[in-house]
Amino acid sequence: ISRRLVRFSRVGDEPRLRVAVDDAIEEALLVLRQDDLLTGIALDYAPDPSLTVVGNTGQIREIFLNLFVNAVQAMAGRGTLVIAPRDAGRMVEVLVSDTGPGVPAEVAHRIFEPFFTTKASRNGTGLGLAISTEIANEHVGTIALCAPAVRGASFRVALPKDLP
């Protein structure tokens, strides 16, 4: 937790380079595979090697890793994780969706707050989405919870293709 807090406070210190979105996504998925978190999870992901953004690779990977871990934990090891990158003009958008229970409407407005979590204390600190939001903001991007679906949760990450 303390390492994440330190990184959280220094988001803007890293150099910005051209980053292949697929590389950041694949690195985050590799972490999940190494930790056996994708066992029982169907992955629906169509890479698009043409999509690049300007940013810090490690920080962008952290955004996806936090979203993927949340999705896998929400699905309790069974379900489908959908990762859909797309060109959105000046931005690259990545939709991350799962088939878990979704985000309860009564807490949806709080999920990006530091230390807020709906998980049992041993499964989360409530920092993942807060850190990811800060990283996206520092990259002049956004993360948003999409309108509630019939089942599951969907988050849209938008990052700029070039420096503003």
Side-chain angles (χ1 to χ4, degrees):
I1 293 172
S2 60
R3 274 186 273 143
R4 282 184 157 193
L5 285 172
V6 169
R7 277 190 276 147
F8 183 66
S9 68
R10 295 188 349 209
V11 167
D13 294 348
E14 300 293 327
R16 305 290 166 90
L17 306 169
R18 180 118 339 250
V19 175
V21 173
D22 286 345
D23 289 349
I25 290 170
E26 288 293 344
E27 288 174 14
L29 289 171
L30 179 63
V31 172
L32 270 66
R33 285 183 185 104
Q34 289 173 338
D35 291 342
D36 279 337
L37 295 177
L38 291 179
T39 304
I41 301 294
L43 185 60
D44 181 353
Y45 169 49
D48 184 342
S50 71
L51 299 177
T52 62
V53 296
V54 173
N56 175 277
T57 303
Q59 292 172 344
I60 293 171
R61 180 191 61 232
E62 180 82 8
I63 291 172
F64 295 123
L65 180 60
N66 288 330
L67 288 172
F68 300 165
V69 166
N70 284 354
V72 168
Q73 288 176 344
M75 293 185 288
R78 299 268 182 251
T80 301
L81 174 62
V82 178
I83 305 165
R86 74 177 191 96
D87 186 315
R90 294 185 353 223
M91 307 291 272
V92 169
E93 290 183 349
V94 180
L95 185 67
V96 178
S97 303
D98 65 58
T99 56
V103 178
E106 61 272 10
V107 298
H109 67 285
R110 297 195 58 207
I111 62 170
F112 296 102
E113 293 176 12
F115 301 107
F116 179 80
T117 183
T118 59
K119 301 174 190 171
S121 61
R122 63 181 178 86
N123 291 329
T125 60
L127 289 174
L129 287 176
I131 289 170
S132 295
T133 300
E134 184 64 23
I135 292 169
N137 290 341
E138 287 289 328
H139 283 79
V140 194
T142 60
I143 298 178
L145 175 64
C146 298
V150 174
R151 184 170 178 208
S154 292
F155 289 84
R156 183 174 317 282
V157 178
L159 296 167
K161 292 179 184 176
D162 294 300
L163 290 172

